[in-house]
Amino acid sequence: MMISRVIASLSALMALPQMAQAQEERQVAISVDASKPAGELPPVWRFFGADEPNYATMKDGRKLLVELGELKKGEVFFRAHNLLSSGDGTPAFKWGSSNAYTETKDGKPVYDWRVLDGIIDTYLARGVRPYLQIGFMPEAMSSAPAGTPYQHSWRPGFSYNLIEGGWNYPPKDYAKWGELVYQWTLHNIERYGRAEVERWYFEVWNEPNGSSYWKGTPEEFYKMHDYAVDAVRRALPTARVGGPDVAGAGGAFMDGFLKHVSSGKNYATGRTGTPTDFLSFHAKGRPVFVDGHVRMGIATHLQEADRGFTKVLSIPSLATKPVVIGESDPEGCAACPGPQNAYRNGTMYSSYTAASFARIWELAERRKVNLEGVLSWSFEFEDQPWFAGYRQLSTNGVDLPVLNVFRMFARLGETKLATTNDAQIPLDQAMANGIQGEADIGSIATRTADGKVALLLWHYHDDDVAGPDARVRINLKGLKAVPAAATLWRVDGDHANAFTAWKKMGSPQSPNQDQYAQLEAASRMQAEDVAVTGGARGAATVDLRLPRQGVALLMLDAK
């Protein structure tokens, strides 16, 4: 009954009228100089993750991994919690297990890699590689006090504190912990080959600066981290190791960690410092429910990213290391539905994703941070009600609108082009106040490897209420050739939107075969031709309409 009420509530919220208000359409002018490079646009979007590792091997998880792998074959990475947790491999909300480590009655280790192999095999077969999180603590190795339940009992609607359990304690024996990691790494090399495992990311634990995920002291975490990194590097000296994937910028915990890995005494080796190939932290927004609608918290998200960048730049010997925002999302709990999270099924999530990634790219460039990844903590929840309000990329195997924004990112080039835009909210304003005055009608123009011009556009506002469309005029110059038409892909209320189609068919919780096929078709982006008006000396103009909370990608074959 509880789930049914939640779904009904979310469906009612998302069914609020989304027709543009009776206001005059906003006129927007964007200029792109196709002959003028303006820096690089690294493909930082190609990282994803989830609490529940076992979903990856289930029917809808396997299907979604195919879609992720096709975004950028062999260069998409997946991070999952609970890979070393004890259990029978049955997933639950914010839980999973592999039973990789148990002990005999006399305390000898028993390693069983079958579940882990199945998960990693599933990734690699679909063009996805591990961002391998080493955790959590196996039950036989946990230092939790006697009588502490090992697996948590959390479920949607419960207090977040209930995710605690024996799994989030330090090891009783750090040598056994290191040996577990060493043996797992050796096994991965034997199974997948040295060259393959060299391409993975290795990090230890999740958010050790908060009590929900870590019951030890900071020093105990540094020790556990040192033993794990030493074990990986003993097995594979060329492995890519880093961390610590703290919640937010990490505060004093992150300061201590950075000092420890750069100049502290290594607990495992006795030498100075800990090998560190990348640094990672988390950044989240904070949506609220006000006046009957969701108001997003993009300013909070960007402020936390900026604080994280400032931290990693604070130690000169680490300042040039690659950085991964190991979780970067509109808010903090993918499995938590609720009114403030009612943005997830529709176009608010997709437009927020475009607008937030654009600002994080810009912020990293401003700070001169070596940004390598921005990981979206969103996957899917197997066998749950349709459009149940979880933060995910698909529901029951049907893509949500947000996944199409990642498909748009994948079509962008890695060379930015000089662009002016009279409706894009400046970074400092977005960081200070969010997007709560005029809407943010933004753009990124790029040159692709094969010479095309790709222009990403979004029409975003923090408040999930109706508003006028934007009439966008795009003026291009410096084109080597002017095509008669450009290709346009759209994600909005009427395009690439299975949620809209589902509501139109009556919101069925058991779609039949024909309805399922209709939902799949409705979820896909469809290319359309847009007229290009040619001008003198490689100039051209394109006009298009961009609805509120819409995202579009325009591609010109102008070689």
Side-chain angles (χ1 to χ4, degrees), residues 27 41 71 105 109 155 259-260 288 351 404 438 472 557:
Q27 305 297 310
L41 193 76
L71 294 174
K105 291 182 179 179
R155 64 187 66 195
K259 183 178 179 180
H260 175 76
V288 293
S351 61
N404 284 313
E438 286 194 320
V472 183
D557 190 358

Side-chain angles (χ1 to χ4, degrees), residues 178-198:
E179 186 65 16
L180 165 61
V181 178
Y182 178 70
Q183 293 296 333
W184 186 21
T185 308
L186 284 180
H187 172 77
N188 286 330
I189 294 167
E190 179 181 355
R191 185 174 183 86
Y192 304 111
R194 182 174 297 268
E196 172 60 39
V197 180
E198 284 176 334

Side-chain angles (χ1 to χ4, degrees), residues 62 106 119 270 370 375 462 541:
R62 295 193 304 269
D106 57 354
I119 292 169
N370 183 9
L375 191 150
D462 277 348
T541 302

